Amino acid sequence: MKEKAMNYCAAGENCSLGLLKAAAEVYGFGLSEEMKHSCAAINSGFGVGSFCSALVAAVMIFGILFPAEEAKQKRLLFLMKIREKYGTLDCGTLSANRADCVDLIGEMAELLEESIAL
């Protein structure tokens, strides 16, 4: 999933849509046009550098793949891993000092896959 997510982002998809498209391919779920369009509304940390939209997509992926309680547990573990690794969940801080977020999205995709497999 890492390479797929990175390729989507390198091709110009925003972080959340790149991650969603990669997960949809790997895990075999569909993406409605509405879901794809909704990613445009949350990119760039909701436009103000706030909560990372790729993390929102990851939480959505848990909700798609797992029953509610399991999705919540996986969400919590995943977000704790991200905060531990990067010290934040905010787009502005995560993307600071980066030309783009392609590598970051790849790393998040890896952590997402690990969390899905748990």
Side-chain angles (χ1 to χ4, degrees):
M1 186 166 72
K2 175 182 180 175
E3 280 74 29
K4 290 180 185 300
M6 291 174 70
N7 288 338
Y8 279 121
C9 290
E13 295 290 8
N14 71 52
C15 300
S16 57
L17 186 53
L19 196 58
L20 272 172
K21 281 184 165 184
E25 282 184 40
V26 170
Y27 296 104
F29 61 83
L31 292 177
S32 69
E33 288 304 308
E34 293 84 2
M35 187 179 290
K36 291 176 189 176
H37 292 301
S38 70
C39 290
I42 63 172
N43 71 321
S44 298
F46 293 84
V48 294
S50 187
F51 199 81
C52 173
S53 68
L55 300 179
V56 174
V59 170
M60 293 167 62
I61 293 163
F62 291 133
I64 291 167
L65 296 178
F66 300 100
E69 287 306 311
E70 188 174 359
K72 289 177 187 177
Q73 290 172 351
K74 289 182 179 291
R75 172 196 70 195
L76 181 60
L77 293 172
F78 172 75
L79 292 176
M80 288 172 54
K81 283 182 187 180
I82 294 292
R83 183 178 281 155
E84 181 179 311
K85 182 170 183 163
Y86 299 105
T88 188
L89 302 174
D90 288 334
C91 173
T93 307
L94 287 166
S95 63
N97 304 315
R98 295 176 187 269
D100 60 43
C101 290
V102 173
D103 288 335
L104 176 64
I105 296 307
E107 292 169 14
M108 287 183 177
E110 281 185 320
L111 289 173
L112 177 60
E113 280 194 301
E114 289 173 14
S115 298
I116 288 169
L118 290 176

